[in-house]
Amino acid sequence: MNRTPDDSTLARTGAGHTRRWPKALLHGWIGGTATMLFLLVVIGALPLGDGTAFLVLYLALTVSPTVVSYRLLPRTRPHPGIRPKREAPKATAEAAAEAERAITRYGELLHAHPYSPGEAADADELADYRTALDAYEQAKQVAPGQVPTVLAGGRAALDRLSAGNRSASDIAWSRGRGTMKLALPRPAPGVPAVLVFETDVKQPFSVHTRSGRGGRRQILLDGGMGPTSAHVGVPAQDTDVLFVEVTASGPWRIALRRIGEARQLTDGGWLRGHGTETVLRRGGSRVVEFEHRGDTDFTVRRLNRSFRPAGVLAEGRGGARLNIPVPGRCVLRIDTIGDWKLRDPAA
């Protein structure tokens, strides 16, 4: 027979026996008295002698219903002052374990990040650095359900620190809110550049480029979801500006950077990232190892030398670890809103 938490608690305290005996005795007395009266009325006066036989018969008629009533009374009624001991639901334990794994992954990403605050660091850099550090400590103190939100803010801060030099002298940020059309100054006309789009708000967004007023739209970022810091390779143009249209529902900032600021896959170590990013590969074996975490979609594309799409190398959804054939020297673009890692296993 299955026992409820109340059963085990009352059995240990003895409260179950204290609760059931009074009712059992009451039931036995009522049952015995009713039976005796029935016998007296139906059979008539019984030859009970000096009364001893009457008492023995009365007790016999009372004890039997008392015992039966005691055995049949329920034992699971709540007792005042005693709270049943509840076990943590399995779903709660699984959520706590998943939150711990997420914190561990974020800690690894934080430890491996190359940024270190220096004398030339601006206020934005220092704020992002503090946000990334605080997110790790805060995630260990909040409820498991709040961990993803806290870590998302930390990853967004790390993303903003991932491109290397962010001093105010070489970054011309354009800030806005909602949908806007604007012209971004190119770092160097005639060569590819890296477009960086950042938002701290959980919102969908897209970025399109035009060749000029009334020109044909080309997708740079489409269907993304913040918070994010996306780094996208932009093809070369013989113009001083890049015309773009941003569609979003909250605040954002955008800038063009030198192509040399794109991260490179150079050795056998893991290159870790979060969200959409263009990665340069100067040489190596003809395979890269790609790992994706989370339950979101991902796509790995190869870009040609002018940073235009040259084909899809891999795509899927959810966690994956793939060996992807690639040229030794190439440009790769990872499209996702989750965490990923990339390396040359033979380097």
Side-chain angles (χ1 to χ4, degrees):
M1 180 178 67
N2 295 329
R3 302 184 68 184
T4 66
D6 287 328
D7 290 337
S8 59
T9 302
L10 295 172
R12 288 194 297 270
T13 60
H17 296 277
T18 303
R19 184 181 67 250
R20 293 195 298 163
W21 271 118
K23 285 192 174 183
L25 291 173
L26 177 62
H27 293 169
W29 175 76
I30 294 174
T33 302
T35 304
M36 179 62 73
L37 292 175
F38 175 80
L39 292 175
L40 290 174
V41 172
V42 174
I43 300 177
L46 297 176
L48 300 177
D50 58 356
T52 302
F54 176 85
L55 179 61
V56 172
L57 179 60
Y58 183 76
L59 291 176
L61 294 174
T62 303
V63 169
S64 296
T66 298
V67 174
V68 172
S69 178
Y70 174 78
R71 298 298 298 176
L72 295 180
L73 279 174
R75 302 179 61 185
T76 58
R77 293 183 59 195
H79 190 277
I82 299 179
R83 294 190 175 212
K85 184 177 180 181
R86 299 179 181 272
E87 297 182 357
K90 183 178 179 181
T92 302
E94 292 177 351
E98 177 58 31
E100 185 176 353
R101 288 192 293 268
I103 294 172
T104 300
R105 292 195 299 266
Y106 179 79
E108 295 173 351
L109 183 64
L110 184 63
H111 178 72
H113 200 276
Y115 178 79
S116 178
E119 296 180 358
D122 62 16
D124 285 343
E125 283 183 332
L126 295 177
D128 288 337
Y129 186 61
R130 286 193 296 268
T131 299
L133 295 178
D134 292 344
Y136 181 67
E137 297 301 328
Q138 185 181 357
K140 294 187 290 185
Q141 301 174 8
V142 301
Q146 297 175 307
V147 168
T149 301
V150 173
L151 295 185
R155 288 195 185 94
L158 288 178
D159 289 341
R160 291 191 295 272
L161 296 171
S162 295
N165 185 7
R166 285 181 33 147
S167 63
S169 60
D170 60 1
I171 299 178
W173 287 108
S174 296
R175 303 172 187 270
R177 177 185 291 270
T179 299
M180 290 181 60
K181 296 179 181 179
L182 61 162
L184 304 178
R186 283 182 172 272
V191 298
V194 176
L195 180 139
V196 181
F197 179 83
E198 299 183 353
T199 177
D200 291 331
V201 181
K202 188 175 183 181
Q203 61 174 0
F205 63 86
S206 63
V207 181
H208 293 76
T209 180
R210 298 174 181 270
S211 59
R213 184 181 298 274
R216 181 181 178 184
R217 301 176 76 206
Q218 295 180 346
I219 297 173
L220 288 177
L221 290 168
D222 190 23
M225 175 69 72
T228 191
S229 177
H231 302 69
V232 180
V234 177
Q237 289 181 351
D238 293 325
T239 59
D240 294 332
V241 296
L242 175 70
F243 294 95
V244 297
E245 179 180 346
V246 178
T247 302
S249 56
W252 45 264
R253 66 178 185 176
I254 192 170
L256 280 180
R257 299 182 184 176
R258 298 184 181 92
I259 190 59
E261 294 185 18
R263 292 202 293 171
Q264 300 184 33
L265 185 62
T266 56
D267 54 33
W270 286 104
L271 180 67
R272 303 170 186 268
H274 177 82
T276 298
E277 184 171 352
T278 298
V279 177
L280 306 181
R281 190 164 187 260
R282 302 298 187 185
S285 63
R286 294 186 173 274
V287 64
V288 294
E289 187 174 354
F290 172 77
E291 182 174 334
H292 181 262
R293 292 182 177 181
D295 57 358
T296 59
D297 296 326
F298 66 86
T299 304
V300 181
R301 293 181 173 89
R302 184 172 69 87
L303 307 181
N304 59 24
R305 292 184 179 181
S306 61
F307 279 54
R308 300 186 185 279
V312 174
L313 301 176
E315 59 184 352
R317 181 179 179 84
R321 190 163 186 169
L322 309 171
N323 287 327
I324 304 174
V326 296
R329 184 182 180 91
C330 61
V331 180
L332 302 176
R333 171 168 163 165
I334 296 95
D335 284 282
T336 181
I337 60 173
D339 297 325
W340 53 267
K341 297 193 299 184
L342 193 68
R343 72 168 180 172
D344 183 345

